[in-house]
Amino acid sequence: MQSDSRTRFIPIGLMLFALFFGAGNLIFPASMGQAAGTDVWWALLGFCITGVGLPLLTVMAVGYSGLPGVREIGNRVHPWFGVFYSTVCILAIGPCFAVPRTGTVSWEIAIVPFLEPSQLEVGMPIFLAVFLGVAGWLAASPSKLVDRVGKILTPLLVLTLLVFIIKSFITPMGEPQTPAAPYATPVMAIVQGILDGYNTLDAIAALIFASLTIGVVRDAGFTKQSDIAREVFKAALIAAPMLGVIYIFIAKIGAESVSAIGIQETGAPILALSAKLLFGNGGAMLLAAMVILACLTTAIGLISCTAAHFMNLSGGRIKYGVWVVIFTVISYLIGLFGLKTIIVSTIPVLMFLYPLCVALVILSFLHNMIGGRRCVWAWTIGFTFVMALYNGLQTAKIAMGGLEAILAQWVPLHTYGLGWIPFAVVGFVIGMIHKSLTKGPAQP
């Protein structure tokens, strides 16, 4: 083991932070801050649960499990579930949502403030073609150049944001306004903040990033499972608080911006207009350059990750480069719908994915206690799946007849969008009863 092994977790933690810190995530605390107004701190409490705490626990759970990643954890339920859930997660953080979001966030923050309204309709397709074309080209031929640029860009973006935050304290833009209806009371603000935290996609991404972190820890010379888990835990404890601090102060800027720039549709114009107001065109251009480059490195990594996953699923029959082209084109086509449409379309899918993610994380920590029995995993995930699917369909405005009234009356927390929690508990109890009445092999 290397002589600096005691402190090796520090650069690994910074690497993990850089993986999570896609510039696209900045728009969500800013948007939430505007909507939450005077209840912004309550909303942040909820936001940090799912936007910071859950990714932290997810990385720890994968490290604790001793398994390579999300597919293998899903295999504890059933191999088909492992393939299904890992693939849906990869598509969510890849071409369906996160990659198009990197392009549209770059467009909204870095380009739109400097164009005339008449140029926007023609400009966006051209910008996205160039942005995603470059990302796909670099993803098709991975090189250390991208990694090195990412290592430089992340600190620069963080430094730019710190200056942005400090300036907002020196010359605040205004006072927080009356909260919007979903944030009207502290309890409502906390719950809505929890749901807003879903949008970061960080917990879903953590299922993927954890396997990369484990690989780096092994490369650092750690071989025992207990040592690997410990180093992953320590790395996560560095990355998560850093994310939390940035989210908190970006939300503060959003809350104070309403009187100066008005209510905006998404967080991207909030950041762009706030930067312009605080620093003038020069500051806005610096933020624009940082965001474009940070989003580009994020897009490259996500396209590469998605292509590698599907190449493995196809058994290598379809080459990596072909998958890169396919997912770059898909990302471009989805990006043409615009940032607001992408965000709105993401929410139903996240309402389905997140409950299952939480259940998998908790079961990973309880795996030894339940004797590694598949029946407990299957019953818990099965019950969670039912309500997670219902929540996704409901959020997509698909009519469910009189079922909604029944669930609202009889299922605790359902009206808050958290009805999957009692369902998961019931599934876990049934699984434990099943375990006590039968014998079976332990899952790895």
Side-chain angles (χ1 to χ4, degrees), residues 25 99 167:
N25 287 355
V99 174
K167 177 66 172 174

Side-chain angles (χ1 to χ4, degrees), residues 1 59-69 73 76 210 214-215 217-218 221-233 364-365 368 444:
M1 191 177 297
V59 172
M60 289 181 170
V62 177
Y64 178 77
S65 72
L67 298 175
I73 291 176
R76 289 174 167 176
I214 291 168
V217 169
R218 286 199 177 108
F222 296 93
T223 54
K224 289 177 58 179
Q225 174 53 35
S226 59
D227 291 338
I228 292 171
R230 184 189 67 246
E231 294 304 305
V232 170
F233 282 22
S364 294
F365 284 119
N368 293 333

